[in-house]
Amino acid sequence: MTLSLVIPVWNDPEGLCRLLVQVQGMACFHEILISDDASDPPCGPQMPGLPAAVAADPRLIWLRSDSQRGAGHARNIALDRVQGSHVLFFDSDDLFTAEITDLVQHLDRLPPDLRDYDFCLFRHVDSRVRAAGGYGPLAGDERYWDAARATEAPAPLGTAAATQMCRIAAYPWNKIYRTAFLRDNGIRCTEIPVHNDVELHWMSFFKARRMLISSLICCEHFVVDAGQRLTNRSGRERFEVFRALEALQHELLRNRHLPDYAEPFIEFYTRLFGWITDTLEPDLRAAFTARSRQFLLDHLPEPLFTLIALRRPDVAARITRLLTERPA
């Protein structure tokens, strides 16, 4: 396995320098592609704070967008340049743990019948959990990991288990992908300002034929409640989420995975509608609610709603409320 590391970055030279200093000592990465989304000033080998020895690492490949188009575009232009057999997307403001090296070693030692896996899912630690004295993801994700009973050594993730594990947060950096799997299936990030990783996460589960899972905690995700991070945005850019959801709903309705992934995916985006509404600027909430209703009317046929009602009455009730309640 040759593993390519893709790091999108926008106006985060401090975080990028911290990460590059860390990964310089990690031999598990065959190449490191930094994809600058038109940062001002540009992120590059001359960045203040980047040690000369790190900047001289021959594995570093510096890419730059001619205009700011979001992390999805930055990941996509890097994916086009990846030469490794496998790829791991990562964020400039997060860090790896030592267990990423352990996971790569495990994957290198897989028996021949498992080596053609499409992706391997791994755990992470959330900075909020660590601050509270724990070590792992948020409780909502941890319960799925507990139920999966994963081991450190990567093992096959069957369809029944996958329909549970797909419910974890749709991060772009919790999987090692086989590069050809992404390219052969046209799986990319949606080029929108926020929620650009939703399509990558869900389409990977829709399209994968062989998935692996490992309980190793391979990175730490740092959460900041203020600033310009994507999770803190509350403007009209949130409406772009429907571009990703429409592509996924179309794929779900036309392929054989409908019975397997319909319920978790619909549960995901109906919850997402509620989260976005709560975080939006107040004068945008009524318009977003109207757009959510139209999405359901356009993309949720009656047979599918019936299936959801039989399997998850609580999700069906949430859909009904979205379609009938007046916005606050």
Side-chain angles (χ1 to χ4, degrees), residues 100-327:
I100 185 63
T101 299
D102 299 333
L103 177 59
V104 173
Q105 290 174 350
H106 277 299
L107 293 172
D108 274 337
R109 295 194 295 263
L110 285 173
D113 62 320
L114 293 182
R115 289 178 186 167
D116 63 343
Y117 65 93
D118 295 323
F119 65 80
C120 179
L121 188 67
F122 58 81
R123 292 168 68 208
H124 73 281
V125 56
D126 188 286
S127 63
R128 293 165 291 186
V129 174
R130 186 194 284 271
Y135 192 72
L138 292 176
D141 278 8
E142 187 68 7
R143 65 190 177 97
Y144 292 117
W145 280 101
D146 288 344
R149 302 191 179 195
T151 60
E152 292 186 0
L157 180 67
T159 299
T163 60
Q164 298 301 311
M165 293 307 300
C166 67
R167 302 168 196 260
I168 65 172
Y171 293 128
W173 37 254
N174 56 13
K175 308 172 193 68
I176 290 179
Y177 290 101
R178 183 167 56 88
T179 307
F181 162 68
L182 296 178
R183 290 175 174 166
D184 291 349
N185 288 282
I187 300 174
R188 298 167 72 82
C189 292
T190 318
E191 297 194 358
I192 54 180
V194 290
H195 307 297
N196 57 76
D197 44 8
V198 167
E199 187 173 355
L200 174 68
H201 174 85
W202 283 96
M203 197 67 79
S204 297
F205 277 96
F206 290 175
K207 294 286 190 177
R209 295 297 176 265
R210 174 162 289 180
M211 296 166 275
L212 301 180
I213 184 171
S214 168
S215 65
L216 288 169
I217 294 180
C218 296
C219 67
E220 180 163 3
H221 175 50
F222 290 89
V223 179
V224 179
D225 293 331
Q228 293 300 308
R229 289 173 63 114
L230 299 184
T231 52
N232 301 324
R233 296 188 182 181
S234 59
R236 189 167 288 274
E237 64 268 27
R238 291 285 178 191
F239 287 65
E240 293 294 307
V241 69
F242 295 104
R243 286 179 52 190
L245 296 179
E246 285 166 358
L248 289 163
Q249 191 76 351
H250 174 73
E251 178 66 27
L252 190 70
L253 292 174
R254 76 179 183 86
N255 73 24
R256 68 179 181 85
H257 290 290
L258 174 61
D260 299 326
Y261 288 106
E263 178 261 311
F265 179 57
I266 293 168
E267 179 189 28
F268 161 76
Y269 70 67
T270 53
R271 288 186 181 276
L272 180 62
F273 290 162
W275 180 86
I276 292 175
T277 302
D278 290 342
T279 57
L280 271 177
E281 297 166 8
D283 61 341
L284 296 176
R285 292 174 183 171
F288 186 82
T289 296
R291 184 68 185 84
S292 302
R293 289 175 175 172
Q294 194 60 51
F295 178 85
L296 291 167
L297 292 170
D298 291 344
H299 298 285
L300 192 61
E302 184 174 347
L304 182 53
F305 178 79
T306 301
L307 176 67
I308 298 300
L310 291 171
R311 293 188 173 184
R312 289 290 302 277
D314 59 320
V315 176
R318 188 181 308 124
I319 294 169
T320 302
R321 288 195 300 271
L322 284 168
L323 290 172
T324 59
E325 287 186 354
R326 295 177 62 85

